[in-house]
Amino acid sequence: MSHSAYYVPAQSRWPIIASIALFLMAFGAGSLINGLANNSGGLGLTLLLAGAFAMGMILVGWFRTVINESQGGLYSPQMDRSFRWGMSWFIFSEVMFFAAFFGVLFYVRVLAVPWLGGEGEKGVSQMLWQGFEAQWPLLTTPDMEQFPGAVGVIDPWHLPLLNTAILVTSSFTLTLAHHALKVDDRPRTILWLGTTVLLGLVFLLFQFSEYVEAYEELGLTLNSGIYGATFFILTGFHGLHVTLGTLMLIIIWLRVMNGHFSPDYHFGFEATAWYWHFVDVVWVGLFIFVYVL
Amino acid sequence: MNTLTRTIEHTEQHGPAEGLSRWFFTTNHKDIGTLYLWFSFAMFLTGGCMALMIRAELFQPGLQLIEPGFFNQMTTMHGLIMVFGAVMPAFVGLANWMLPLMVGAPDMALPRMNNWSFWILPFAFAMMLSTLFMEGGGPNFGWTFYAPLSTTYAPPSVTFFIFAVHMMGISSIMGAINVVVTILNMRAPGMTMMKLPLFVWTWLITAFLLIAVMPVLAGVVTMMLMDIHFGTSFFNAAGGGDPVLFQHVFWFFGHPEVYIMILPAFGIVSEIIPTFARKRLFGYASMVYATASIAFLSFIVWAHHMFTVGIPLMGELFFMFATMLIAVPTGVKVFNWVATMFRGSMTFETPMLFALAFVVLFTIGGFSGLMLAIAPADFQYHDTYFVVAHFHYVLVPGAVFAIMAGVYYWLPKWTGHYYNETLGKVHFWISFIGVNLTFFPMHFIGLAGMPRRIPDYALQFADFNMVASVGAFIFGFSQLIFLVLVIKTIRGGDRAPAQVWEHPQGLEWTLPSPAPYHSFVEPPEVK
Amino acid sequence: MRVAAQFLLLALASGASPAYADWQLNMPRGVTEISHAVFDLHMIIFWICVAIAVVVFGVMFWSIFHHRKSRGARAENFHENTLVEVIWTLVPFVILIGMAVPATATLVKMYDSSDAEVDIQVTGYQWKWRYQYLGEDIDFFSSLTTPREQINNEAPKDENYLLEVDNPLVIPAGKKVRFLVTAADVIHSWWVPAFAVKKDAIPGFINEAWTNVPEPGIYRGQCAELCGKDHGFMPIVVEVKPQAEYDQWLVDTRAAQAATAAAASQVLSMDELMAKGEQVYNTACAACHQTNGQGLGSVFPALKGSKIALGDIEAHIDIVVNGKAGTAMQAFKDQLSAVDLAAVITWERNAWGNNVGDKVDPATIQKLKEGTE
Ligand code: HEA
Ligand code: HEA
Ligand code: CUA
Ligand SMILES: [Cu+2]
């Protein structure tokens, strides 16, 4: 291990302002959501937007500082390792976040729904829901008045399959971009990165049209019972992560165009790539467990 | 380029900045550690006052001081604040102060993020406390917030509670990432993993637990939010969900969470006992493996909090066996501490007193934990004061005593002054008596059948409740002594040398007291 | 240390022969085979812990006394010993296996609710219990009867303060009784310590539990899961009767229920309705809406001056009879008789200066009740 002096940044205003922004966002979102019920979320919306705007500015500023420091050669290899570890553990925390929702999906499929339908060790529960039959995907819920169920589910072999292909391909194109960067072939890096961004956007577009179909044609909504709930929470959070990943890719893309990164030092690029691959893997899990099985 | 040169110049600066900006903008691990510790103490007082409100109401049967609805808010807030506001931040504070000193690093690995982790907390708790003043009152569903009491039947302020939990989660995850990275990447040359002080080891494993389970907590509160406001049915059988599902996800977080609150305490005690027994820690390697086993097991025992919810028999048995297993590695730790004292040369300064009390009282709490683990017996203990006795034994004379032991142990290193030993001992003895007076009788009222979370109780529980309430006030007031002592030590006192105690082990004692603002600018060489 | 030691001694002394006095220290042994098994498990594990504590703390205190610097002790150098470490890993492990065996056996027995002779569905409500005897056509609610004055320290407290109800659950002695435990709103937990039965009542699901009480008697318990404001005020009372008395009770209760239903065709005067209504209101509604009708905070609305109570009578009847889904306002159609419902609605419309002046006939309610069945 080489131990050149470790860079300890000077005092920074970013964190505390970011905390305030986060607070505004949280408080605003809380007021907004609570207000929805009685149509009085105006102030909440303002706070939320102000907070989000501030947060956006801060992130830009904060990252600019980091990028400047990095470009200014302040970062030692040890620092680089810190970033790598940091990013890896962050992704691990994301894995656990999704794991929770997958756990929920398995629990309701394997245990809760069959119990309600009279199967398994707690099958007596069916006494409370006479006439309810367990099936998956759950289209007819125990209480159709409160949770009206869905007419149908998304056919995995159309859009979802296509989306799987798109995301898997995007992982490849991103790897191609990485290889190009390593041999300092800028134009090809830019080309492949651009392709990846495009694939991400197309994925999001398809996902959006799928949601429209779910709501308008299939009656598959958040309110349609546990199938809809697990479907939307899993695909929804995945979609948010794709959105974030695409944004990160766009930033990296712009940086590559501006001549940032060197063939042997480009952690920002790699971190984004790791994140993207992670988002991909989650999708494959989703495709199998949410759509196909 | 201009900003850049400025930044570089700033790096050269050595002392802390002046005034408030030092605390708001700091990237220094010691300043951040100090912030965490003071914040934690403030929360300890807040949560403690709520506990005293509970104890005052329970002093006698009948409703005297507060309404049942408000009582529930107090119970809930007390639990949440003590867990997330007092104990966890205190350990993070100690980690911030001590990890760089112990591994020979200049600072934490990610200093700016470190500042952010801290500053999120005051805002999160401000939001959480503000719910008490909202329409319908604050969270009143227990710190475990079981659905549907916390969803369909919750007061509107639950939305803010959920976002506050999200914020605490972000803070904890970032803090934990910082700890892991510091330990893995910032060690001085020669400081191999198996040379790490135990406090560092236990924190490494704690941080891993945090990163693994805080996202799950975030997930479960998110599902609550969806159920409350967006029409989903995760925790509602009418739509095919299950209220018990909430408990599974919550306790998948919750059980590791309780070890998050005890593993660093094990670490502290493992530092202190060898120092005052003047003998190397017995069984270093087995301590490390035991900690790792506890962490591993903590992921597969969660349903011991749910023995009565009607889990199928096989599940119940599995969770019972897994839970009982935890006694084995924990026992290894206790035995190792005792073996360290055995044939040592002991003295009993305040940190040692707290550490010894920890060993005894934590073990008592562990024993009652083991009793709770016996599922058929838990049918009688569950949701009674026996459980309250159990977890206060592991948390108050467990986690909190260890924190205090740590503060006494390292305070001279932080401030450069010795604390007043007499005052420290007075604090210890009053706390010790107070704590036992408060929580020991809870075993009895629990066994006799008093449920927890009730504002009023049947007559046969009256006597011990009175004892417990008296004890709580004694214990509470004795914390004022602690406050006075710490402030006095910061202000002045006998000068402490680099080696505060007689031949303590560890890199932190090679630096002068108080430790310089930037810890190890030049990494030390570890033999 | 001394205080703790004293308590421990007390605990030990009472361990073998449980005292039921006020300073009761130990778990009651209970009255069923299962509760005895549980008590024995509790005592075994307790004594194991005590024994380990004696050894561990013994060594520790011995070291504290003898290996202290002030007595001139010099520290030794040893700091590991594989053999010892292996031993103290294995010994606890073996002890735990010894403990797991009887625990498993007891648990298996507790889970076997087959071949029950009486089936009772137990449903938790905020904050009362409902007991439905399956196949017996008996269905009633059971709620706290301790007067408010006692709770508010305005009157001396009875012996069974907070542990008394209007309609206790009645079961036959010496018969296996199965409980199908569920809830209507939030999670409750049905607990009778003397039977060692504690089962959570999960809304939408049914948990099974059972007991077989050899001796007649009255046994008391409490809701054991936080279920909101009055969680501390929903006790359980079980009356175990000899078979013959139980059979008689079945007959009497069925007759009484039939009489209440028949009363629905009565026409009552305003005064009668108001008098009855006040009484019903105070037992069934005041917990949330308060005796003075002013509600509690923003969660439990005031009925005094409420739009519904002053407005359209149909809407008023509807919310009381059918409740409001997703709120604490439950459907009272199964909880109260037609007469009670008519009375309480009449009361709400005319009490606390609400003076609407109209009244509800039991027959109207009865029609609604039948219509929804
Ligand atoms: C610091 C926190 C902490 C710690 C360390 C523990 C440690 C343990 N806990 Fe505890 N627990 C809590 C905090 C903690 N707990 C909290 C907060 C709750 C309540 C949550 C709520 O509902 O609000 C709770 C509740 C709780 C329950 C649920 C009770 C119920 O609600 O019905 C159970 C059940 O199994 C349990 C078991 C255990 C066990 C087996 C251990 C073990 O780790 C203990 C192991 C230690 C020892 C056993 C002692 C030392 C060992 C030896 C000397 C070796 C030899 C010993 C033998 C072979 C016996 N705990
Ligand atoms: C680390 C966690 C922690 C800590 C430190 C404590 C500390 C204390 N706890 Fe508690 N407690 C919990 C975690 C903790 N608790 C949890 C998780 C629950 C479950 C919640 C739930 O059911 O949801 C709980 C529940 C709980 C209950 C049960 C409530 C119920 O079921 O209704 C009680 C009752 O006595 C109690 C008491 C106390 C007391 C007296 C202290 C004392 O040790 C506190 C001492 C501290 C002070 C008193 C403050 C400091 C001193 C001063 C400010 C100076 C003096 C000032 C005055 C005297 C005004 N706690
Ligand atoms: Cu019902 Cu607690
Ligand atoms: Cu646990």
Side-chain angles (χ1 to χ4, degrees):
Chain A
M1 275 192 227
S2 85
H3 273 263
S4 49
Y6 193 82
Y7 173 69
V8 178
Q11 292 214 327
S12 169
R13 283 170 294 124
W14 299 124
I16 192 161
I17 309 181
S19 307
I20 297 173
L22 189 65
F23 174 72
L24 288 181
M25 281 171 71
F27 205 86
S31 320
L32 176 65
I33 294 176
N34 271 4
L36 287 181
N38 47 21
N39 292 321
S40 63
L43 181 66
L45 186 63
T46 319
L47 285 180
L48 175 60
L49 290 178
F53 179 74
M55 188 60 104
M57 298 304 290
I58 291 155
L59 288 183
V60 169
W62 192 334
F63 277 108
R64 175 166 304 144
T65 315
V66 174
I67 291 166
N68 278 342
E69 286 165 0
S70 166
Q71 296 297 103
L74 288 173
Y75 291 172
S76 59
Q78 195 188 6
M79 190 82 191
D80 188 49
R81 275 197 304 277
S82 284
F83 285 149
R84 277 161 202 278
W85 277 122
M87 188 67 192
S88 320
W89 286 102
F90 168 67
I91 290 181
F92 174 60
S93 78
E94 293 271 40
V95 169
M96 292 308 292
F97 186 66
F98 278 100
F101 296 127
F102 275 108
V104 166
L105 176 69
F106 298 147
Y107 179 88
V108 292
R109 269 195 76 163
V110 180
L111 298 172
V113 170
W115 285 341
L116 290 170
E119 295 155 30
E121 276 190 70
K122 287 173 72 175
V124 268
S125 302
Q126 176 153 63
M127 269 175 62
L128 301 171
W129 308 106
Q130 252 131 42
F132 171 69
E133 264 177 63
Q135 88 269 59
W136 195 268
L138 184 73
L139 297 180
T140 319
T141 64
D143 180 351
M144 289 297 278
E145 257 172 56
Q146 229 190 93
F147 298 99
V151 187
V153 296
I154 305 277
D155 177 2
W157 306 115
H158 289 105
L159 267 191
L161 182 65
L162 193 60
N163 262 345
T164 311
I166 288 174
L167 273 196
V168 172
T169 316
S170 77
S171 261
F172 278 108
T173 55
L174 188 57
T175 308
L176 288 175
H178 193 190
H179 282 302
L181 183 63
K182 276 198 204 148
V183 297
D184 212 6
D185 184 345
R186 293 266 157 183
R188 295 190 55 175
T189 314
I190 292 171
L191 173 72
W192 288 122
L193 257 181
T195 319
T196 315
V197 170
L198 197 69
L199 288 170
L201 290 174
V202 172
F203 172 89
L204 284 173
L205 190 73
F206 283 171
Q207 196 67 2
F208 179 72
S209 68
E210 187 181 291
Y211 277 14
V212 173
E213 185 196 337
Y215 259 79
E216 309 222 309
E217 278 154 46
L218 300 172
L220 180 63
T221 67
L222 283 170
N223 193 26
S224 63
I226 194 66
Y227 181 77
T230 51
F231 173 83
F232 282 106
I233 202 137
L234 276 159
T235 57
F237 272 110
H238 178 263
L240 278 180
H241 281 74
V242 177
T243 313
L244 197 69
T246 311
L247 273 175
M248 284 160 65
L249 283 172
I250 292 174
I251 291 168
I252 295 300
W253 197 29
L254 295 176
R255 286 185 66 189
V256 173
M257 289 187 205
N258 277 327
H260 288 194
F261 302 128
S262 69
D264 42 51
Y265 181 73
H266 44 259
F267 175 68
F269 186 104
E270 282 170 304
T272 310
W274 293 350
Y275 192 78
W276 193 254
H277 293 317
F278 151 71
V279 170
D280 249 21
V281 173
V282 172
W283 175 261
V284 175
L286 279 182
F287 181 64
I288 297 173
F289 293 112
V290 177
Y291 290 94
V292 177
L293 292 181
Chain B
M1 209 52 214
N2 218 344
T3 33
L4 187 59
T5 28
R6 239 195 0 254
T7 342
I8 296 170
E9 274 163 20
H10 270 240
T11 337
E12 313 291 303
Q13 124 206 334
H14 279 288
E18 293 299 317
L20 273 184
S21 79
R22 166 175 179 186
W23 303 108
F24 288 148
F25 306 144
T26 184
T27 47
N28 181 279
H29 74 100
K30 300 196 183 70
D31 287 349
I32 295 173
T34 307
L35 285 170
Y36 265 112
L37 288 171
W38 278 116
F39 174 76
S40 144
F41 195 68
M43 285 295 125
F44 180 61
L45 297 193
T46 315
C49 289
M50 292 171 175
L52 292 184
M53 211 139 21
I54 296 173
R55 285 301 346 153
E57 174 60 49
L58 293 177
F59 184 70
Q60 278 185 341
L63 293 179
Q64 16 265 336
L65 300 167
I66 52 182
E67 286 293 314
F70 189 67
F71 182 91
N72 288 347
Q73 295 174 36
M74 286 296 104
T75 300
T76 307
M77 281 294 197
H78 162 69
L80 288 168
I81 286 182
M82 285 299 195
V83 169
F84 293 101
V87 172
M88 288 170 68
F91 282 131
V92 183
L94 292 172
N96 259 297
W97 255 102
M98 300 316 298
L99 292 185
L101 296 180
M102 287 180 150
V103 302
D107 205 299
M108 294 292 277
L110 305 160
R112 265 188 299 246
M113 196 171 88
N114 201 11
N115 178 320
W116 198 21
S117 312
F118 171 75
W119 275 107
I120 288 177
L121 280 184
F123 291 102
F125 279 90
M127 192 149 101
M128 182 117 104
L129 284 168
S130 74
T131 57
L132 286 176
F133 305 100
M134 289 179 186
E135 283 260 308
N140 53 10
F141 27 64
W143 86 282
T144 51
F145 48 100
Y146 283 4
L149 188 60
S150 64
T151 53
T152 316
Y153 296 85
S157 64
V158 64
T159 315
F160 294 95
F161 158 81
I162 289 171
F163 285 121
V165 172
H166 275 132
M167 289 172 73
M168 292 178 315
I170 296 173
S171 157
S172 292
I173 291 172
M174 290 197 304
I177 289 178
N178 220 332
V179 167
V180 176
V181 177
T182 306
I183 298 174
L184 293 180
N185 193 35
M186 305 286 286
R187 278 169 287 131
M191 176 66 86
T192 57
M193 290 305 273
M194 288 314 269
K195 279 190 193 154
L196 286 177
L198 263 179
F199 180 64
V200 180
W201 254 117
T202 51
W203 239 115
L204 178 65
I205 292 169
T206 304
F208 166 75
L209 289 179
L210 275 169
I211 300 174
V213 300
M214 289 312 278
V216 176
L217 176 68
V220 77
V221 292
T222 306
M223 286 185 278
M224 276 170 63
L225 187 76
M226 303 288 288
D227 267 14
I228 298 170
H229 293 293
F230 302 105
T232 55
S233 54
F234 290 109
F235 310 130
N236 190 341
D242 185 349
V244 172
L245 172 59
F246 171 89
Q247 300 181 25
H248 281 290
V249 188
F250 177 84
W251 287 115
F252 184 84
F253 147 80
H255 186 80
E257 167 69 24
V258 308
Y259 290 110
I260 287 167
M261 294 189 282
I262 206 67
L263 295 184
F266 289 165
I268 295 171
V269 170
S270 306
E271 300 294 327
I272 292 176
I273 291 181
T275 300
F276 296 97
R278 292 171 182 71
K279 183 156 156 281
R280 251 177 84 181
L281 182 70
F282 190 90
Y284 173 90
S286 63
M287 283 294 210
V288 173
Y289 301 139
T291 314
S293 323
I294 295 174
F296 168 75
L297 287 172
S298 76
F299 285 107
I300 53 166
V301 299
W302 74 86
H304 65 216
H305 296 274
M306 306 161 56
F307 281 144
T308 62
V309 300
I311 296 172
L313 181 61
M314 280 307 141
E316 196 101 335
L317 287 173
F318 170 81
F319 285 108
M320 173 167 87
F321 299 149
T323 306
M324 291 169 76
L325 266 188
I326 297 192
V328 175
T330 317
V332 167
K333 299 195 133 265
V334 173
F335 301 142
N336 281 339
W337 290 322
V338 174
T340 308
M341 294 178 228
F342 187 69
R343 296 206 169 280
S345 166
M346 276 193 267
T347 53
F348 303 95
E349 286 84 350
T350 312
M352 184 63 161
L353 289 177
F354 273 104
L356 293 176
F358 172 93
V359 174
V360 175
L361 300 181
F362 167 79
T363 305
I364 293 180
F367 285 149
S368 58
L370 194 71
M371 297 174 75
L372 293 168
I374 310 294
D378 184 65
F379 280 56
Q380 293 286 48
Y381 309 136
H382 176 69
D383 264 330
T384 67
Y385 264 77
F386 191 77
V387 177
V388 178
H390 156 65
F391 68 74
H392 282 94
Y393 260 83
V394 283
L395 282 168
V396 185
V400 173
F401 269 26
I403 292 165
M404 287 176 172
V407 170
Y408 278 107
Y409 185 55
W410 287 307
L411 199 57
K413 174 57 59 190
W414 300 341
T415 62
H417 305 292
Y418 278 109
Y419 58 85
N420 180 328
E421 192 64 57
T422 318
L423 207 54
K425 290 210 164 107
V426 170
H427 172 219
F428 169 76
W429 283 107
I430 302 185
S431 294
F432 182 84
I433 292 169
V435 124
N436 286 297
L437 219 49
T438 315
F439 299 116
F440 210 83
M442 290 187 188
H443 290 110
F444 305 141
I445 36 181
L447 291 176
M450 172 161 162
R452 55 191 285 210
R453 296 163 164 172
I454 58 175
D456 190 6
Y457 47 83
L459 300 178
Q460 72 263 35
F461 310 124
D463 304 297
F464 281 124
N465 264 302
M466 201 175 275
V467 176
S469 294
V470 171
F473 277 84
I474 296 178
F475 180 72
F477 274 113
S478 76
Q479 304 323 312
L480 291 180
I481 306 178
F482 182 58
L483 179 65
V484 170
L485 178 142
V486 171
I487 293 176
K488 276 178 67 166
T489 313
I490 295 172
R491 292 259 185 86
D494 297 346
R495 292 241 136 245
Q499 289 214 353
V500 172
W501 313 104
E502 251 181 78
H503 309 299
Q505 297 289 308
L507 284 178
E508 74 260 41
W509 312 108
T510 63
L511 286 174
S513 308
Y517 194 60
H518 288 292
S519 301
F520 288 95
V521 184
E522 282 300 311
E525 199 67 44
V526 181
K527 46 200 169 8
Chain C
M1 195 78 37
R2 216 164 295 135
V3 182
Q6 259 169 20
F7 275 125
L8 200 68
L9 274 179
L10 275 172
L12 297 186
S14 71
S17 59
Y20 289 98
D22 267 359
W23 297 88
Q24 180 189 336
L25 299 171
N26 203 357
M27 182 192 281
R29 200 160 160 265
V31 295
T32 64
E33 196 193 323
I34 291 286
S35 81
H36 294 167
V38 167
F39 180 79
D40 293 343
L41 281 174
H42 161 70
M43 288 319 291
I44 301 172
I45 185 80
F46 172 70
W47 285 116
I48 290 179
C49 290
V50 170
I52 297 175
V54 168
V55 175
V56 176
F57 300 155
V59 176
M60 181 171 156
F61 284 114
W62 197 80
S63 311
I64 288 179
F65 284 115
H66 295 280
H67 306 152
R68 51 169 65 209
K69 200 179 170 204
S70 55
R71 290 180 126 228
R74 313 272 295 319
E76 301 257 342
N77 237 333
F78 65 86
H79 55 82
E80 55 196 356
N81 181 325
T82 314
L83 179 68
V84 173
E85 291 175 55
V86 169
I87 290 178
W88 71 39
T89 312
L90 288 183
V91 169
F93 188 72
V94 173
I95 296 176
L96 291 176
I97 292 181
M99 194 59 229
V101 172
T104 306
T106 308
L107 196 64
V108 169
K109 252 188 266 164
M110 291 172 110
Y111 262 73
D112 178 18
S113 56
S114 58
D115 302 325
E117 291 166 271
V118 180
D119 279 341
I120 301 173
Q121 184 176 334
V122 177
T123 312
Y125 284 72
Q126 277 181 326
W127 291 282
K128 51 192 150 269
W129 293 98
R130 177 184 192 180
Y131 300 112
Q132 287 159 288
Y133 290 63
L134 301 185
E136 295 285 356
D137 205 19
I138 288 183
D139 177 354
F140 59 90
F141 282 78
S142 171
S143 39
L144 179 75
T145 48
T146 300
R148 276 274 131 196
E149 298 80 57
Q150 291 190 20
I151 295 173
N152 292 333
N153 307 310
E154 290 150 5
K157 300 182 179 17
D158 294 341
E159 187 196 345
N160 289 319
Y161 176 68
L162 294 188
L163 297 178
E164 46 203 351
V165 299
D166 46 6
N167 305 308
L169 174 68
V170 177
I171 58 171
K175 289 275 159 67
K176 185 165 183 178
V177 180
R178 182 170 72 138
F179 303 110
L180 300 166
V181 186
T182 182
D185 34 49
V186 301
I187 301 178
H188 304 262
S189 188
W190 196 81
W191 180 33
V192 180
F195 307 164
V197 171
K198 184 185 282 151
K199 249 320 168 222
D200 289 4
I202 314 286
F205 288 82
I206 289 180
N207 276 328
E208 291 174 86
W210 65 273
T211 194
N212 187 337
V213 189
E215 289 301 316
I218 295 181
Y219 305 98
R220 294 169 201 275
Q222 275 174 278
C223 175
E225 180 63 61
L226 178 61
C227 51
K229 184 170 70 65
D230 282 357
H231 159 60
F233 304 91
M234 56 182 290
I236 295 149
V237 179
V238 183
E239 244 186 275
V240 181
K241 291 186 193 266
Q243 186 69 43
E245 279 179 43
Y246 172 73
D247 290 335
Q248 187 55 44
W249 177 84
L250 286 180
V251 174
D252 293 348
T253 312
R254 255 190 306 253
Q257 286 191 357
T260 326
S265 52
Q266 282 176 289
V267 179
L268 294 171
S269 74
M270 188 74 180
D271 287 345
E272 281 169 319
L273 281 171
M274 286 296 279
K276 178 118 192 120
E278 176 169 15
Q279 187 198 334
V280 175
Y281 182 85
N282 286 338
T283 46
C285 323
C288 298
H289 297 289
Q290 305 299 299
T291 322
N292 56 13
Q294 304 208 317
L296 244 194
S298 63
V299 183
F300 303 113
L303 300 179
K304 179 179 174 180
S306 122
K307 272 202 200 96
I308 292 187
L310 294 178
D312 181 21
I313 196 161
E314 302 280 313
H316 191 166
I317 295 175
D318 178 64
I319 194 167
V320 180
V321 171
N322 297 317
K324 185 159 174 189
T327 74
M329 183 61 202
Q330 48 207 261
F332 280 92
K333 63 169 182 283
D334 300 324
Q335 304 193 27
L336 299 176
S337 69
V339 176
D340 287 353
L341 282 167
V344 77
I345 295 168
T346 309
W347 163 259
E348 282 178 354
R349 297 181 77 76
N350 297 291
W352 323 294
N354 272 2
N355 304 333
V356 184
D358 52 4
K359 71 176 182 128
V360 185
D361 284 325
T364 323
I365 305 282
Q366 187 63 23
K367 233 179 264 150
L368 265 179
K369 277 187 145 191
E370 277 156 13
T372 52
E373 229 120 76

